[in-house]
Amino acid sequence: MLLRFIIIVCLLVWRTAAMAQDLSSIPGAPENALIFVDSVESKKGMEGLDPSKIALIDIVRGSKLKEKYGPRGENGVIFVETVDFARKRYTRMFGEINPAYAIKLKEYGSDSAFQYVLDGSMISNSIPQMLAAMERKNIERLVVMPPKTAKDMVKDYQPNDKVLWVLIQSKTTK
């Protein structure tokens, strides 16, 4: 989890992925790693990926990888999620956690009209990248509400044009 956080910080702050063809520019990336982009093995590595379209890079190492992927996985596996793939994954997950979210997502057609709030703080930059790092096991609850209701529940509330607010409480805030 710490390595995932470090990589997300690199993507958001330094845009390390701009040098994606050179894996040595990504902290913790093993040489000759097996690479998957949006759950599909990539024969070209990360070549051709637009850095602004990357939501998450997850680097995995360990002996179990050799069992699963054979000798190709012994140097580690890098999982890359693009923004579109990550958005599909987290919106599906949020809809499973709270069916009201799925209903509103279907009603609006996308989550672009939603204001996400994580542990009481608004997420206003790099939303897909931040939400891509969320795992179901770490979400305590997810609540969908209109902006007026959210006003009293959000620390740094700022009015905006979002029609729906999605409050996510992680298990780590207890």
Side-chain angles (χ1 to χ4, degrees):
M1 188 69 172
L2 178 62
L3 186 56
R4 178 182 277 193
F5 175 74
I6 290 169
I7 290 183
I8 289 171
V9 169
C10 286
L11 284 171
L12 297 176
V13 179
W14 298 295
R15 288 291 183 195
T16 302
M19 298 171 276
Q21 289 83 354
D22 180 10
L23 291 178
S24 66
S25 66
I26 301 173
E31 288 186 38
N32 302 319
L34 186 59
I35 299 174
F36 287 85
V37 177
D38 294 341
S39 296
V40 177
E41 185 176 348
S42 173
K43 301 294 183 198
K44 298 187 299 182
M46 294 172 57
E47 182 181 327
L49 281 178
D50 178 351
S52 67
K53 303 287 185 206
I54 295 175
L56 178 72
I57 297 176
D58 197 3
I59 299 172
V60 183
R61 296 180 189 204
S63 58
K64 299 249 183 216
L65 293 173
K66 189 172 181 183
E67 292 172 26
K68 186 170 183 175
Y69 300 107
R72 299 174 313 137
E74 73 183 336
N75 292 327
V77 179
I78 299 174
F79 296 96
V80 179
E81 281 191 7
T82 61
V83 169
D84 290 341
F85 186 88
R87 180 174 277 123
K88 286 176 188 169
R89 185 179 53 76
Y90 72 71
T91 56
R92 182 177 53 249
M93 176 179 64
F94 293 167
E96 291 168 356
I97 294 170
N98 185 338
Y101 177 92
I103 291 167
K104 291 298 184 180
L105 182 64
K106 188 173 182 179
E107 180 182 330
Y108 290 104
S110 80
D111 69 337
S112 61
F114 299 1
Q115 173 62 60
Y116 289 97
V117 177
L118 177 59
D119 295 329
S121 296
M122 292 175 59
I123 301 175
S124 53
N125 295 321
S126 303
I127 295 167
Q129 289 84 349
M130 295 294 290
L131 297 177
M134 301 289 307
E135 295 180 13
R136 186 180 188 133
K137 66 182 180 183
N138 297 326
I139 298 174
E140 182 69 33
R141 80 185 161 126
L142 185 137
V143 180
V144 178
M145 63 183 60
K148 274 186 183 177
T149 309
K151 185 177 180 179
D152 298 329
M153 302 180 81
V154 179
K155 289 183 263 188
D156 55 352
Y157 177 87
Q158 296 172 5
N160 58 31
D161 62 345
K162 303 296 183 182
V163 296
L164 202 64
W165 285 52
V166 179
L167 280 60
I168 304 165
Q169 180 185 354
S170 69
K171 290 183 178 178
T172 58
T173 60
K174 283 188 161 185

